[in-house]
């Protein structure tokens, strides 16, 4: 598949109309696209952001992957943009941690990698990583 602006527009237009696994495929292909400028990156992120609230965990993780792939491009021009994106990424990552054990494991492995690149992404949500000793003793 040749990535071009025309193909990008078609992918973004059909993203929310596709089945779940096609959304994952489209999101993964978006990470391989090289945007022409920051406006194009902002448009991609704007179209991908609703996927962060999807019911399917794979769609959420693929959307996180796309946003992280383009975050540095947007952030180079505007530090506030990075702050806004990290605020948008934290809640879906926390939601993944509150899933089934298999999903928790995959989410925590991915979160570990994400935090290595972007250490401040979960700084306001750090409490969820601590165990409540009162709950453990009962």
């Amino acid at each position: 598949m040749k990535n071009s602006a025309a193909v990008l527009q078609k992918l973004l237009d059909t993203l929310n109309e596709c089945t779940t696994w096609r959304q994952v495929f489209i999101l993964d292909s978006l990470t391989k696209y090289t945007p022409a400028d920051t406006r194009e990156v902002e448009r991609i992120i704007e179209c991908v952001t609703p996927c962060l609230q999807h019911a399917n965990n794979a769609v959420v993780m693929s959307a996180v992957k796309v946003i992280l792939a383009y975050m540095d491009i947007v952030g180079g021009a505007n530090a506030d943009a990075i702050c806004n994106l990290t605020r948008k990424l934290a809640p879906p990552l926390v939601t993944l941690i509150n899933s089934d054990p298999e999903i928790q494991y995959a989410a925590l492995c991915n979160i570990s990698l994400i935090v290595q690149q972007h250490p401040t992404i979960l700084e306001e949500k750090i409490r969820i990583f601590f165990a409540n000793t009162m709950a453990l003793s009962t």
Side-chain angles (χ1 to χ4, degrees):
M1 177 176 85
K2 182 175 166 75
N3 288 335
S4 66
V7 172
L8 171 70
Q9 188 58 44
K10 288 178 185 178
L11 290 175
L12 293 177
D13 288 343
T14 60
L15 181 61
N16 293 323
E17 300 168 8
C18 294
T19 62
T20 301
W21 293 109
R22 287 188 179 160
Q23 287 180 350
V24 171
F25 177 76
I26 289 171
L27 290 167
D28 287 343
S29 68
L30 288 175
T31 60
K32 297 175 180 103
Y33 178 73
T34 305
D37 56 10
T38 57
R39 271 194 0 238
E40 197 170 52
V41 172
E42 290 169 357
R43 190 179 70 202
I44 293 169
I45 291 173
E46 183 180 321
C47 291
V48 169
T49 301
C51 294
L52 293 173
Q53 298 175 355
H54 200 279
N56 187 304
N57 298 322
V59 174
V60 174
M61 282 308 301
S62 292
V64 168
K65 181 179 171 182
V66 171
I67 293 172
L68 287 172
Y70 294 126
M71 191 182 321
D72 293 332
I73 297 170
V74 173
N78 187 356
D80 289 337
I82 291 280
C83 188
N84 289 335
L85 287 174
T86 56
R87 272 192 237 123
K88 289 179 184 178
L89 289 177
L93 292 173
V94 169
T95 302
L96 290 172
I97 295 172
N98 294 325
S99 300
D100 294 331
E102 297 85 3
I103 306 288
Q104 283 180 354
Y105 177 77
L108 288 170
C109 289
N110 285 304
I111 287 170
S112 174
L113 295 171
I114 292 168
V115 170
Q116 288 174 19
Q117 277 191 323
H118 303 281
T120 62
I121 202 162
L122 291 173
E123 71 182 357
E124 293 181 16
K125 305 284 185 181
I126 196 71
R127 290 187 325 203
I128 64 159
F129 294 100
F130 292 100
N132 183 351
T133 56
M134 297 301 284
L136 294 175
S137 63
T138 56

